[in-house]
Amino acid sequence: MTSGGNPQNGSHTVRIWVNGALRESTEASVSVLDHGMTVGDGVFETVKAVDGAPFALGRHLDRLERSARGLGLPAPERELVRRACAEVLAANPAKLGRLRITYTGGLGPLGSDRGDSGPSLIVALGEVARRPDAAAVVTVPWTRNEHSAVAGLKTTSYAENVVALARAHQYGASEAILGNTAGRLCEGTGSNVFVVLDGRILTPPLNSGCLAGVTRALALQWLDAEEADLPLTVLEEADEVFLTGTLRDIQGVSRVDDRELPGAPGPVTAKAIAVFTERAAADLEP
Ligand SMILES: Cc1ncc(COP(=O)(O)O)c(C=O)c1O
């Protein structure tokens, strides 16, 4: 970023798009009665931006729309969201950026009923560091509810992820992995999970309750990988484990709970990282 502090902790002078205009972060606000604020009635996207260019924005906007419709919110105006992203990217130069699009129910009553003032749209950007090629993960005792009304939607109700990720950090790990209510492998708090088993690259299907990750979809397309219903315990025996996510791309797993996976990223994961890096660099809108 060009000026003024760390965008990750709020002490910065970055410019944020709020409901139609760019504002300094100190001036950028929505109502305390915004339904996103009071009940977590909103959806969001995190988009990677490299040197100011967003990666796979079209796929992220598709998912934003699917998530919004899933909550019964009107579909976001695609061109408006694109313009907001372009203005935020231009106003906040960063080598590697986390472009965050938030779209909420807007001003509403204090309860779960939604108001009729129309949605709020916020687009912000924070500079981030490139992730390491491998990371430790822990499994957590809480489950993803694959039968939930919001399963598969990227809603702003992420408090469960906040709790699980804090648990991971407590154990020196950078991600928490959740099973679903049937004890099947599901996903991380902000990532999808893949395992390498007997030479096959496998990831849980969407009916496990996981998010349809943009990176997951690209990995399924670009690698020789398949969907498979897997028990959470597969993490105890997999030859390799890796995560996919917008800011992780593909990242090897070096430890699952107490199980070390020495040399991570292993050979299959290392190849996957190389393929992904090459394909992603060749096409920003895959
Ligand atoms: C719960 C959850 N699962 C998976 C992912 C990975 O999705 P993507 O590759 O689109 O970033 C995310 C990322 O934001 C997420 O929040």
Side-chain angles (χ1 to χ4, degrees):
M1 315 290 292
T2 44
S3 66
N6 178 356
Q8 299 298 330
N9 63 20
S11 65
H12 52 91
T13 57
V14 295
R15 300 214 283 157
I16 297 173
W17 173 285
V18 186
N19 291 333
L22 272 185
R23 302 186 194 285
E24 297 303 319
S25 59
T26 47
E27 307 293 324
S29 55
V30 292
S31 168
V32 291
L33 297 179
D34 191 287
H35 226 214
M37 165 75 193
T38 51
V39 299
D41 174 22
V43 296
F44 76 102
E45 283 298 319
T46 296
V47 184
K48 180 175 69 166
V50 182
D51 292 325
F55 178 67
L57 182 58
R59 286 178 180 259
H60 284 284
L61 295 183
D62 289 347
R63 188 173 60 191
L64 185 73
E65 181 171 336
R66 281 201 309 278
S67 297
R69 288 188 191 280
L71 288 195
L73 287 169
E77 266 183 68
R78 204 170 170 105
E79 278 321 303
L80 179 70
V81 182
R82 276 192 182 278
R83 181 154 63 86
C85 290
E87 291 198 16
V88 168
L89 285 163
N92 301 281
K95 198 161 171 40
L96 184 60
R98 172 199 287 261
L99 184 65
R100 161 80 190 219
I101 305 166
T102 309
Y103 181 74
T104 77
L107 201 61
L110 290 171
S112 294
D113 281 325
R114 190 173 283 150
D116 52 17
S117 70
S120 298
L121 173 65
I122 300 141
V123 180
L125 186 130
E127 189 159 19
V128 292
R130 190 184 137 76
R131 93 290 180 271
D133 276 353
V137 305
V138 294
T139 55
V140 290
W142 309 296
T143 52
R144 273 286 184 266
N145 180 1
E146 69 277 24
H147 308 295
S148 156
V150 297
L153 307 181
K154 198 163 166 70
T155 80
T156 56
S157 310
Y158 253 39
E160 284 194 339
N161 291 323
V162 172
V163 173
L165 188 58
R167 169 70 67 96
H169 292 329
Q170 201 183 331
Y171 286 90
S174 92
E175 179 60 304
I177 305 292
L178 296 99
N180 65 16
T181 65
R184 314 307 287 178
L185 180 64
C186 188
E187 65 178 346
T189 67
S191 60
N192 291 108
V193 59
F194 286 68
V195 297
V196 178
L197 206 59
D198 301 325
R200 296 165 70 204
I201 307 177
L202 306 171
T203 195
L206 297 182
N207 67 11
S208 68
C210 68
L211 187 74
V214 168
T215 324
R216 171 189 181 278
L218 293 173
L220 281 168
Q221 200 174 307
W222 291 344
L223 312 174
D224 192 12
E226 336 155 38
E227 293 183 331
D229 180 24
L230 301 159
L232 183 60
T233 51
V234 73
L235 297 175
E236 294 166 14
E237 51 178 310
D239 303 313
E240 297 179 35
V241 179
F242 64 83
L243 305 176
T244 62
T246 287
L247 294 171
R248 295 180 191 263
D249 292 331
I250 291 178
Q251 184 180 44
V253 168
S254 55
R255 173 165 55 86
V256 180
D257 298 326
D258 292 333
R259 181 183 179 221
E260 299 286 345
L261 290 154
V268 177
T269 306
K271 187 165 172 227
I273 292 174
V275 169
F276 190 92
T277 306
E278 192 186 321
R279 297 289 297 258
D283 185 2
L284 285 181
E285 206 54 86

